[in-house]
Amino acid sequence: MFLLLFFASTAKAQPGRTFDIRKYGGKADGRTDISMALTNAFKDACASPTPSKVLIPKGKFTLGQVSLKGPCKAAVEVQVQGTLVSKTDKVIPHSSWVAFQYIDQFTLSGGGMFEGQGPKAWGACGLNSYCKHLPINLRFDFITNGMVRDVTSKDSKQFHVNVLGCKNLTFLHFTISAPDHSINTDGIHIGRSSGINILESNIATGDDCVSIGDGSEQILISKVTCGPGHGISVGSLGKYQNEAPVIGVTVRNCTISGTSNGVRIKTWPASYPGTVSNMHFEDIIMNNVSNPVLIDQVYCPWNECNAKLPSRVKISNVTIKNIRGTSASPVAVKLACSSGIPCQGVEIADIDLTYTGKEAPKAVSECSNIRPRIFGKQNPPACGSPTTSN
Ligand SMILES: *[C@@H]1O[C@H](CO)[C@@H](O)[C@H](O)[C@H]1NC(C)=O
Ligand SMILES: *[C@@H]1O[C@H](CO)[C@@H](O)[C@H](O)[C@H]1NC(C)=O
Ligand SMILES: *[C@@H]1O[C@H](CO)[C@@H](O)[C@H](O)[C@H]1NC(C)=O
Ligand SMILES: *[C@@H]1O[C@H](CO)[C@@H](O)[C@H](O)[C@H]1NC(C)=O
């Protein structure tokens, strides 16, 4: 139903004028930085009173850091057919490589690639703070009614994609590609946004495939493959004051392979208050995932917190349904809720996860501060079941 609507609407939105970056001095010669050509082509497209298109044709183009900013007079499509290669000299910290900002009815398409040249940066990425300041491949800030389809983000220096303040933005046939040893390269990070869909996409990276931060509402992740990476994660939450609730995240019909986590919700102990509700994890295949299902309310990496005080983030209305496959660790399902605010309204149905390790233990589940309602098959036995080990 949704897809039908979507195809009908794209068929109708035929762009009027095309602004080809070659007309603005853009050259695929491996030397010319097309920053100015792209910025100027976008400016003209943005000023067009009828829907328009910026074209980056086939070929390999060098691109420095750019911000393409609306508001625009009409719908704008940026069609990337070629490969954009990030310029590596003079990286501005705290920033992005390519940012799209304040645009309504925006489309990024074309089958092309954003090549972030990450390997040149990851090597030096031993210090955490240095990594945090590397540019993000693609930033979407305050985009409304947007579509990102048929493009690839490769080897970002930091996060591949950051979504901030967006409403109704869909990623379709989007590809993220980076090796598992790339540091802090989250696939798509979403914050303070609503109506974000990630559909039929493929995410392989060194950190979370998708991470969902505070203020995210109505997030749908469907038919996505994830791995390598750290899985699909809500949080971490509770570390900062005044975080907005996370409401309505659905992960459905996905395959997660060789990752350190499958689906997880993580909140800091000794935290500020927060809310996570209406989470639905359904119809997911896990292939050799270390922590396939994980609620971790004592998330405290590098001992940066007082783990003795409970998290004050309230988690409620969670369904975990039809999760099948293999776990690379014996604890296939771990639900560690806050001792201060137990998880509420959690439903677990049809779990079938086996431990891949050769040595003894079968898969188990571990639960604390939670009393889920349990339906259907439970392998491993769910928390509270009489057969639960330990
Ligand atoms: C969401 O954005 C798409 C364009 O990508 C548009 O076709 C659709 O109508 C928008 N949906 C709503 C509810 O505004
Ligand atoms: C997703 O749904 C399709 C169609 O219903 C099905 O063929 C496919 O196996 C599903 N994938 C997963 C991972 O559940
Ligand atoms: C499963 O994952 C573990 C840990 O990540 C890894 O050591 C092992 O080689 C993987 N097994 C398979 C069959 O991929
Ligand atoms: C949780 O679900 C119940 C029953 O569907 C509903 O009444 C309640 O409002 C939900 N809570 C939240 C925080 O959404």
Side-chain angles (χ1 to χ4, degrees):
M1 167 70 170
F2 165 78
L3 284 180
L4 280 178
L5 282 175
F6 151 63
F7 284 123
S9 71
T10 49
K12 170 179 89 208
Q14 280 298 326
R17 282 187 67 188
T18 296
F19 298 85
D20 188 326
I21 59 143
R22 287 171 298 192
K23 301 239 164 69
Y24 293 81
K27 285 194 190 76
D29 59 4
R31 288 192 317 273
T32 310
D33 177 356
I34 64 160
S35 301
M36 282 319 289
L38 177 57
T39 304
N40 291 333
F42 181 83
K43 264 187 196 149
D44 286 352
C46 190
S48 162
T50 54
S52 60
K53 185 161 86 183
V54 173
L55 176 66
I56 299 168
K58 290 215 164 79
K60 210 164 192 172
F61 295 89
T62 302
L63 176 64
Q65 286 165 280
V66 289
S67 292
L68 305 176
K69 220 180 250 180
C72 298
K73 291 228 167 84
V76 176
E77 174 165 355
V78 173
Q79 198 175 83
V80 181
Q81 296 177 349
T83 296
L84 296 170
V85 181
S86 160
K87 241 175 93 170
T88 42
D89 55 336
K90 274 210 296 180
V91 162
I92 305 163
H94 282 286
S95 184
S96 47
W97 175 27
V98 183
F100 300 99
Q101 301 170 311
Y102 305 97
I103 311 168
D104 182 42
Q105 296 182 278
F106 170 71
T107 302
L108 176 62
S109 67
M113 186 185 281
F114 292 82
E115 206 179 298
Q117 299 282 297
K120 299 209 166 113
W122 303 328
C125 204
L127 291 172
N128 203 39
S129 60
Y130 165 79
C131 297
K132 276 185 188 156
H133 297 163
L134 290 169
I136 288 168
N137 254 10
L138 295 166
R139 247 184 217 281
F140 299 95
D141 297 333
F142 306 96
I143 300 294
T144 49
N145 305 312
M147 171 65 64
V148 177
R149 62 178 150 87
D150 307 301
V151 288
T152 297
S153 170
K154 182 165 189 282
D155 292 343
S156 184
K157 294 189 180 73
Q158 213 227 89
F159 288 10
H160 286 266
V161 172
N162 194 77
V163 173
L164 175 71
C166 295
K167 284 204 171 83
N168 184 22
L169 174 63
T170 295
F171 293 82
L172 178 68
H173 304 153
F174 185 63
T175 304
I176 288 176
S177 156
D180 58 359
H181 62 79
S182 57
I183 294 169
N184 204 23
T185 54
D186 285 25
I188 300 179
H189 178 78
I190 301 166
R192 299 188 179 248
S193 296
S194 68
I196 309 302
N197 306 303
I198 304 172
L199 312 175
E200 296 172 40
S201 294
N202 211 317
I203 304 178
T205 192
D207 209 305
D208 292 341
C209 288
V210 179
S211 58
I212 297 167
D214 84 296
S216 300
E217 298 191 17
Q218 286 176 274
I219 310 298
L220 173 63
I221 300 167
S222 174
K223 297 193 179 169
V224 167
T225 65
C226 158
H230 296 176
I232 295 171
S233 187
V234 175
S236 57
L237 294 167
K239 194 177 188 186
Y240 304 100
Q241 214 163 354
N242 301 321
E243 286 180 349
V246 178
I247 302 173
V249 174
T250 299
V251 180
R252 184 192 288 147
N253 199 215
C254 292
T255 302
I256 304 180
S257 304
T259 55
S260 52
N261 305 285
V263 286
R264 82 176 149 161
I265 301 171
K266 52 179 176 171
T267 78
W268 291 77
S271 68
Y272 291 103
T275 302
V276 173
S277 65
N278 301 344
M279 302 287 117
H280 305 288
F281 305 120
E282 298 174 358
D283 306 328
I284 299 170
I285 295 173
M286 304 282 178
N287 293 318
N288 200 33
V289 171
S290 295
N291 302 290
V293 177
L294 178 60
I295 294 179
D296 183 4
Q297 294 212 263
V298 286
Y299 177 75
C300 187
W302 314 290
N303 281 321
E304 265 183 41
C305 59
N306 181 352
K308 292 203 179 76
L309 292 176
S311 170
R312 289 198 285 157
V313 176
K314 177 175 175 166
I315 298 178
S316 65
N317 290 12
V318 179
T319 53
I320 300 165
K321 208 159 109 184
N322 190 20
I323 315 282
R324 300 162 281 151
T326 54
S327 174
S329 82
V331 185
V333 177
K334 183 170 179 176
L335 308 173
C337 294
S338 166
S339 60
I341 313 177
C343 294
Q344 273 184 5
V346 178
E347 198 176 297
I348 304 177
D350 300 312
I351 307 295
D352 193 359
L353 292 165
T354 50
Y355 172 49
T356 48
K358 285 186 191 70
E359 70 276 25
K362 285 185 159 177
V364 295
S365 61
E366 281 179 8
C367 303
S368 44
N369 308 305
I370 181 171
R371 267 202 224 158
R373 280 170 299 160
I374 295 164
F375 302 94
K377 181 166 186 171
Q378 295 293 329
N379 172 36
C383 30
S385 292
T387 46
T388 304
S389 25
N390 299 325

